[in-house]
Amino acid sequence: MTTVTTSGNGTPLILSRGLTKAFETIVAVDGIDFEVRPGEVFGFLGPNGAGKTSTMRMIGCTSPRTGGVLTVMGMDPATDAVRIKSRIGVVPQIDNLDIELTVRENLEMYARYFDVPRDVAKGRIDELLDFVQLTERARDKVEPLSGGMKRRLTIARSLVNQPDLILLDEPTTGLDPQARHLVWDRLYRLKQRGVTLVITTHYMDEAEQLCDRLVVMDKAKIVAEGSPRELITRFSTREVVELRVADETRDKARDLLDGVAERIEWLPDRVLLYTEAGEALLSRITDEGIHPDSALVRRASLEDVFLTITGRSLIE
Amino acid sequence: MAVSTRKAIHPPVSLHRASRLFRRNLLAYKHYWIAFVSGFFEPFFYLVAVGFGVGQFIDRVPYGHTEITYAAFLAPGLLAASTLNGAVFDGFFSPFFKLNWMKTYEGIMTTPVGIPDIAIGEIMWALMRGSIYGLGFLVVMLLMGLIHSAWAVFAVPAVMLSATALSSGAMILTGIAREISSLEKVMTLIVFPLFLFSGTFFPVALYPDYLRPVVEATPLFHSATLLRDLTTGQVGVGTAWHAAYLVTMCVVAGTVAIRLIRRRLVS
Amino acid sequence: MSATDIVVRNGHVFWRSWRASFFLSVLSPVMFLSAMGLGLGSMVNEGRTFGGVDYLSFFATGILASSAMQSGVFTGTYPIMSKITWQKNYEAMLASPLSVREVFLGELGWAAVTLTQLAVPFFVIMTVMGIFHTWSAVLAVPVVILVGLSCCAPVMAFTATLQTDEAYTWLFRFIVTPLFLLSGTFFPITELPAWGRVIAQATPLFHGVELVRQLTIYHLGISALWHLAYLFALLIVGILAGFRTFEKRLMP
């Protein structure tokens, strides 16, 4: 369906040095550097307002940058926007499907915007509708579709021109768990076919599941980069013990827990103890006489990475 | 390194890409054909009620070097007015909703179709609709015996010129208006006064001297007078001036509109 | 909670934008009056009178009634559809002790306020222009409000049966506009062919226009009672229909 044309052997598909986007009152993106290699799934992880969407819009040539270098497939968006656009697909954060048209007509019009020849378009649209499992709804208007279906349609739409690169801005935000998994599944298949995907998200599970490499963004800057595994190893321990402690016993617990783990994070509703061996730590704690209301041992996640780096959690 | 913010976010117009917008509207209108068809009837009703109904009580109207019936005076004015209605709908109301509520244009922004293409495409659509209504009305006029000259053949391109000029003007409003209250303001403060006071229903000669230049500066006046000159055969130098005004309006209004809409879509 | 609360609630919403709305809703008829009444009027043949008065008076009195008709019809369309279908204001209101009938009457009451706000300035302007010759002209104001309401109620009832606004295109293009143009506002219906006269006399605007003219520029006759009866009958039928359709729609 989508054939892969890389721009050379390992030369980055997207290159950014000192990329900046400044508005009158705020700086949305403050001099970031990153590279996206052909065939990988690259992620921008960060909370709302970190600058992810602004970055995506600059890559997608819908917003001019105010500073720095940016090349997409070897071309500069400031001079070659039309050519770049014809080779990428975009799945925006908020759906902007054409609600005056049916599902199928949305794909047909997109094929025309991209000058896909009619005979080719027809077959391709059938395939795409099948790929996102919307074939039965092809004749329906867009509005009555569920959020998950609209998102799948937007994904299908972004594939009409067989792009080498797809930009997805928060692809599963606002979807119920079932819809999320369906979208992830489709994206995973695209990845298997060698399509380069750039995803922004504030969901750590999404980032961990899909991304080969990612950068963590906070307040318009990049604060960390690497694969999910690398980041967790570098910024966190392997395991985390989560405790819920009753308010009355909190202060006493503070004294008792001091120094018992490599790092301790006190959150409003729980305590996080970072350690290499969670079960061992937990039994030691109970031996020492601390009885939390509830306890669980889990693997460290990107949420913990973010917490370590910025002191805040990903989701406000 | 500072980067110019002009350039390729703003590619030049391509008629080929503009026609995509046209095609999109065609596809969407399949679902609204009633509105499409019924738009024809309104000027016809006005012609009957006012042109013939009230026209009974009015003597022949002096125009150019001749005198014509009131209905023959009113009809080309209504023709121009119906072009205005179409232009406001296709150049303002509809794009306003697409821009602000339905986010249709945002969806197109990530494709090679650019903003000038979108604006020109919408104007092309308005031109097509206006011309169809205009042509239909001209046929009605012919059948009712209200056309008195072979010059009326040029009324067809004149209608097209009017439609383009007026819809370019309407698109300026699209670039400016942000809330839904604008719709009523536009109708009451712009469209309605134009409709009433452009020499459509009665000759501008009836205005006091200090008001006449104001009326003669408005676009619908030129449109109506151009069409009237052509259907009554009273063609002269003035006719060319009216056409020139409309051509200028196309160019100027179109450029301004594209600039304003660009500011709304690109940040 | 009661119907007056609806009026008050609408008043709150309205008060925020009253200046603009007032200006706009009065401006249209005033513009229309000057263009048609003065402009057209000055083209009408010298000495041609309409029941003894000049065209401007004839036309202005017609416009008074027809503006009320158009305003009444409009008030029964989009604003109501918005509250029923799009923004679902009524759902929230009905969770309170308010009954559906009270909602309907409350909206009608609000329509009356809107119509008054249209009729009074218009009336004042026409008085200043010296159009009125009899004391009974003052009664034109409540009559005009009645015309608006008797057109509003059935339209409101109709709106409650709709899911989309498609039907409005038909309503405005093929009912309101011809009614406006051919009910005696622009020219006396005696100029219509016989079949046209019959149809016109069955419509509310005709009765409204006739009654207003009798009160203001002509003389009151027995037929005034018939016109009044027609308008009241239409209003009552509209209210009863509205009770039915609103109940069906809002409390299924």
Side-chain angles (χ1 to χ4, degrees), chain A residues 21 23 57 60-69 77-82 85-86 88 90 95-102 105 108-110 112-115 118 141 157, chain B residues 1-11 16-17 20-21 23-25 27-32 94 98 101-104 106-114 265-267:
Chain A
K21 177 72 187 178
F23 294 101
R57 297 183 71 219
C61 310
T62 54
S63 176
R65 66 187 189 275
T66 43
V69 174
T79 52
D80 283 312
V82 177
K85 283 182 191 178
S86 63
I88 64 174
V90 176
D95 293 316
N96 50 28
L97 299 164
D98 197 329
I99 62 178
E100 289 188 301
L101 305 179
T102 65
E105 285 167 349
E108 284 173 0
M109 270 327 300
Y110 241 61
R112 289 180 157 240
Y113 295 145
F114 283 102
D115 286 325
R118 284 258 256 181
K141 285 276 197 106
R157 192 183 72 170
Chain B
M1 176 171 86
V3 176
S4 151
T5 51
R6 307 219 120 262
K7 299 248 213 106
I9 315 272
H10 321 295
H16 169 78
R17 287 193 299 260
R20 297 296 171 233
L21 242 302
R23 173 98 178 99
R24 181 249 162 231
N25 284 351
L27 214 51
Y29 257 85
K30 253 181 16 198
H31 309 288
Y32 298 132
S94 176
K98 288 183 204 148
W101 282 39
M102 304 195 291
K103 308 290 179 196
T104 316
E106 268 183 34
I108 302 178
M109 286 278 290
T110 52
T111 73
V113 176
L265 281 171
V266 177
S267 56

Side-chain angles (χ1 to χ4, degrees), chain A residues 75-214:
Chain A
M75 298 180 274
D76 185 340
T79 52
D80 283 312
V82 177
R83 279 177 57 203
I84 295 177
K85 283 182 191 178
S86 63
R87 289 177 57 195
I88 64 174
V90 176
V91 179
Q93 187 171 7
I94 304 174
D95 293 316
N96 50 28
L97 299 164
D98 197 329
I99 62 178
E100 289 188 301
L101 305 179
T102 65
V103 166
R104 193 184 190 92
E105 285 167 349
N106 262 275
L107 296 177
E108 284 173 0
M109 270 327 300
Y110 241 61
R112 289 180 157 240
Y113 295 145
F114 283 102
D115 286 325
V116 176
R118 284 258 256 181
D119 44 349
V120 173
K122 187 167 184 325
R124 196 177 292 177
I125 290 174
D126 290 331
E127 272 183 52
L128 287 172
L129 285 171
D130 181 58
F131 179 68
V132 295
Q133 299 181 353
L134 284 175
T135 316
E136 300 90 54
R137 309 298 299 261
R139 300 267 214 84
D140 293 346
K141 285 276 197 106
V142 167
E143 276 211 83
L145 296 183
S146 70
M149 289 181 186
K150 284 184 188 161
R151 195 56 56 87
R152 274 148 48 198
L153 177 58
T154 311
I155 293 176
R157 192 183 72 170
S158 73
L159 296 168
V160 164
N161 58 327
Q162 292 193 330
D164 306 318
L165 165 69
I166 305 180
L167 310 174
L168 300 109
D169 196 354
E170 310 246 359
T172 62
T173 300
L175 301 185
D176 61 76
Q178 203 175 7
R180 293 186 79 205
H181 282 282
L182 188 50
V183 169
W184 285 352
D185 184 62
R186 300 298 117 176
L187 294 179
Y188 193 66
R189 292 197 194 193
L190 285 175
K191 171 181 170 166
Q192 285 177 314
R193 297 184 203 202
V195 180
T196 310
L197 303 176
V198 175
I199 301 180
T200 73
T201 180
H202 63 263
Y203 293 132
M204 49 149 198
D205 50 353
E206 189 160 75
E208 280 179 46
Q209 291 238 10
L210 293 174
C211 299
D212 298 320
R213 289 191 312 130
L214 58 100

Side-chain angles (χ1 to χ4, degrees), chain A residues 16 19 21 28-29 32 34 44 50-60 70 167 200 217:
Chain A
S16 149
L19 184 62
K21 177 72 187 178
V29 178
I32 61 175
F34 62 89
F44 286 83
K52 312 188 298 285
T53 302
S54 301
T55 307
M56 294 293 261
R57 297 183 71 219
M58 286 191 280
I59 301 174
L70 178 64
L167 310 174
T200 73
M217 275 190 86

Side-chain angles (χ1 to χ4, degrees), chain B residues 58-114:
Chain B
I58 299 179
D59 279 338
R60 300 182 79 80
V61 179
Y63 192 74
H65 305 297
T66 180
E67 286 184 340
I68 53 177
T69 61
Y70 180 67
F73 175 86
L74 179 63
L78 288 177
L79 179 58
S82 72
T83 324
L84 175 67
N85 268 341
V88 167
F89 187 81
D90 289 322
F92 175 58
F93 281 3
S94 176
F96 174 85
F97 281 111
K98 288 183 204 148
L99 179 65
N100 295 297
W101 282 39
M102 304 195 291
K103 308 290 179 196
T104 316
Y105 295 149
E106 268 183 34
I108 302 178
M109 286 278 290
T110 52
T111 73
V113 176

Side-chain angles (χ1 to χ4, degrees), chain A residues 32-47:
Chain A
I32 61 175
D33 302 343
F34 62 89
E35 285 177 21
V36 177
R37 299 174 202 142
E40 71 172 343
V41 179
F42 188 87
F44 286 83
L45 176 66

